[in-house]
C-alpha cells in the first residue's frame, strides 16, 4: 500500500487537461490560409494570404495561435490568439491580440456546434464572432464577423486554411 507521503503527493498532483482541452489540438500545426478581407473602417477589401502557426502548450491546457497576413507582398495584419477551455463555466475562451492594437476587456467565449467552434467577444466598439469550422484533418474554415448589436453579423474576414506539408 502507499505511504502517507505518496498519497499526499497524489492529492497535490497538477490537474490534467480534459478531453475538451485536447479537442483544440485539431487546430495545431502549420497552416496556409487563403483569405478574403471585407472593406471596413480599418481597411479596403481584397484577397490575402496568411501563415498560421499553432501549438498546444502550457501542459496541454492552451492552443497558442500566431498568424501573419500578407496583402500586396506586405505584412498587413498579425494576430496572437490563446484558446482554452474554462473548467468553471464549461465554455471555451479565446484571448485575442492583434496588430491593430486592440484587445478585448474579456475573452471571447463560446463552444462547439457540430464541427464549428464559435466564440463571441464584446467591446466598446461592438461584438466580434470567430467561427472555426473543421472541414477535415487538413483543412478548416474561419470567419471573423462584426456586429454592433450582436443581432446581424457582417463578415470582416473569411478564410480557408490548409495544412502546410
Amino acid at each position: 500500500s502507499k505511504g502517507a507521503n505518496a498519497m499526499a503527493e497524489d492529492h497535490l498532483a497538477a490537474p490534467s487537461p480534459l478531453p475538451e482541452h485536447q479537442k483544440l489540438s485539431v487546430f495545431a500545426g502549420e497552416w496556409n490560409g487563403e483569405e478574403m478581407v471585407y472593406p471596413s473602417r480599418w481597411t479596403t477589401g481584397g484577397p490575402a494570404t496568411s501563415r498560421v502557426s499553432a501549438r498546444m502548450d502550457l501542459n496541454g491546457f492552451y492552443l497558442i495561435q500566431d498568424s501573419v497576413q500578407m496583402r500586396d507582398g506586405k505584412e498587413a495584419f498579425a494576430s496572437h490568439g490563446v484558446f482554452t477551455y474554462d473548467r468553471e463555466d464549461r465554455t471555451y475562451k479565446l484571448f485575442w491580440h492583434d496588430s491593430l492594437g486592440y484587445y478585448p476587456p474579456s475573452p471571447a467565449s463560446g463552444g462547439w456546434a457540430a464541427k464549428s467552434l464559435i466564440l463571441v467577444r464584446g467591446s466598446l466598439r461592438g461584438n466580434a464572432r470567430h467561427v472555426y469550422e473543421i472541414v477535415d484533418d487538413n483543412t478548416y474554415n474561419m470567419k471573423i464577423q462584426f456586429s454592433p448589436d450582436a443581432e446581424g453579423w457582417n463578415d470582416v474576414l473569411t478564410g480557408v486554411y490548409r495544412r502546410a506539408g
Side-chain angles (χ1 to χ4, degrees), residues 22-126:
Q22 292 161 4
K23 193 165 182 181
L24 290 168
S25 67
V26 69
F27 299 113
E30 301 295 320
W31 305 86
N32 292 316
E34 293 174 35
E35 298 176 335
M36 182 56 65
V37 178
Y38 292 80
S40 70
R41 67 186 108 162
W42 301 287
T43 184
T44 55
T49 59
S50 68
R51 177 78 182 188
V52 179
S53 182
R55 69 188 193 275
M56 294 300 292
D57 209 336
L58 303 174
N59 220 17
F61 287 105
Y62 295 89
L63 173 78
I64 300 174
Q65 183 194 71
D66 290 293
S67 73
V68 175
Q69 181 190 85
M70 304 291 288
R71 292 179 73 186
D72 302 320
K74 294 189 290 292
E75 182 177 321
F77 184 74
S79 66
H80 177 74
V82 179
F83 299 73
T84 192
Y85 179 73
D86 185 335
R87 290 169 290 206
E88 303 291 317
D89 73 5
R90 297 195 168 97
T91 59
Y92 286 86
K93 301 294 188 207
L94 167 58
F95 297 84
W96 178 265
H97 308 271
D98 65 41
S99 58
L100 295 175
Y102 293 134
Y103 62 92
S106 57
S109 187
W112 289 93
K115 292 189 167 197
S116 295
L117 178 59
I118 302 169
L119 301 149
V120 178
R121 60 192 165 96
S123 77
L124 296 174
R125 293 178 309 283

